[in-house]
């Protein structure tokens, strides 16, 4: 069961029991915040058939604080990685809100990570790994995804990162 964490064995069958996304979040010390509300004229997600499209989220703390600044100038790579991870937590909160159960996620299909960076910054993938690593930690192999990590001259509110996702759902 590559990519899946095993918590215990089913005593009757001797089969490993794979941790749920919520058990994995708990093991990571993560409590999902409420899904952040949209900041403009859009919805946080759209479900079409067995696909869930998540609008871009930013590095918003549960108290509403947004991390802002230019990566490569006033924000270092490690901090930006943490901001991308926080953004991933917000994406998980939207998924939970939309689905009622993260167990309905079949696979994280695609992530688009946008980094508010200085023009000569070249480490966008390292920053967006904050979100990608989290998806792997929470969903195991189902968290493995296609991805783009790109730089932008600015993002709304001067936030450091914005990330959107496409998610496949179980039938």
């Amino acid at each position: 069961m590559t990519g899946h964490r095993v918590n215990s064995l089913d005593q009757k069958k001797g089969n490993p029991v794979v941790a749920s996304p919520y058990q994995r979040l708990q093991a990571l010390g993560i409590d999902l915040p409420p899904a952040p509300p949209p900041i403009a004229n859009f919805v946080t997600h759209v479900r079409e058939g067995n696909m869930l499209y998540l609008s871009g989220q930013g590095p918003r703390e549960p108290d509403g604080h947004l991390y802002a600044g230019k990566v490569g100038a006033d924000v270092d790579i490690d901090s930006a990685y943490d901001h991308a991870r926080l953004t991933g937590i917000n994406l998980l909160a939207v998924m939970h809100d939309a689905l009622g159960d993260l167990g309905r996620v079949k696979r994280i299909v695609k992530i688009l990570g946008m980094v508010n960076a200085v023009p000569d910054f070249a480490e966008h993938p390292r920053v967006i790994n904050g979100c990608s690593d989290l998806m792997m930690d929470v969903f195991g192999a189902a968290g493995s995804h296609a991805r783009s990590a790109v730089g932008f001259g600015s993002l709304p509110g001067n936030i450091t990162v914005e990330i959107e996702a496409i998610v496949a759902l179980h039938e």
Side-chain angles (χ1 to χ4, degrees), residues 11-142:
Q11 297 302 318
K12 294 179 184 174
K13 299 178 185 174
N15 295 326
V17 177
V18 177
S20 75
Y22 297 103
Q23 291 167 324
R24 291 175 179 181
L25 284 166
Q26 183 179 22
L28 292 167
I30 297 172
D31 292 321
L32 285 182
I39 60 170
N41 187 16
F42 64 90
V43 294
T44 59
H45 64 278
V46 171
R47 182 170 176 190
E48 184 62 36
N50 289 330
M51 300 299 290
L52 182 66
Y53 300 84
L54 302 178
S55 296
Q57 291 292 323
R60 178 186 301 269
E61 292 283 1
D63 67 4
H65 174 77
L66 280 164
Y67 292 97
K70 283 280 188 199
V71 180
D74 46 304
V75 178
D76 63 40
I77 292 173
D78 291 337
S79 295
Y81 175 98
D82 291 342
H83 299 170
R85 185 175 188 277
L86 175 59
T87 301
I89 292 169
N90 290 326
L91 287 167
L92 292 171
V94 172
M95 282 183 229
H96 172 78
D97 189 57
L99 302 172
D101 182 0
L102 292 176
R104 296 180 64 197
V105 171
K106 180 178 181 182
R107 177 167 200 154
I108 306 300
V109 176
K110 171 90 191 245
I111 286 179
L112 169 59
M114 299 160 271
V115 181
N116 182 6
V118 296
D120 62 345
F121 186 75
E123 300 295 329
H124 308 88
R126 282 184 55 197
V127 170
I128 301 304
N129 278 348
C131 180
S132 294
D133 292 348
L134 176 69
M135 294 303 159
M136 292 290 296
D137 287 344
V138 172
F139 295 109

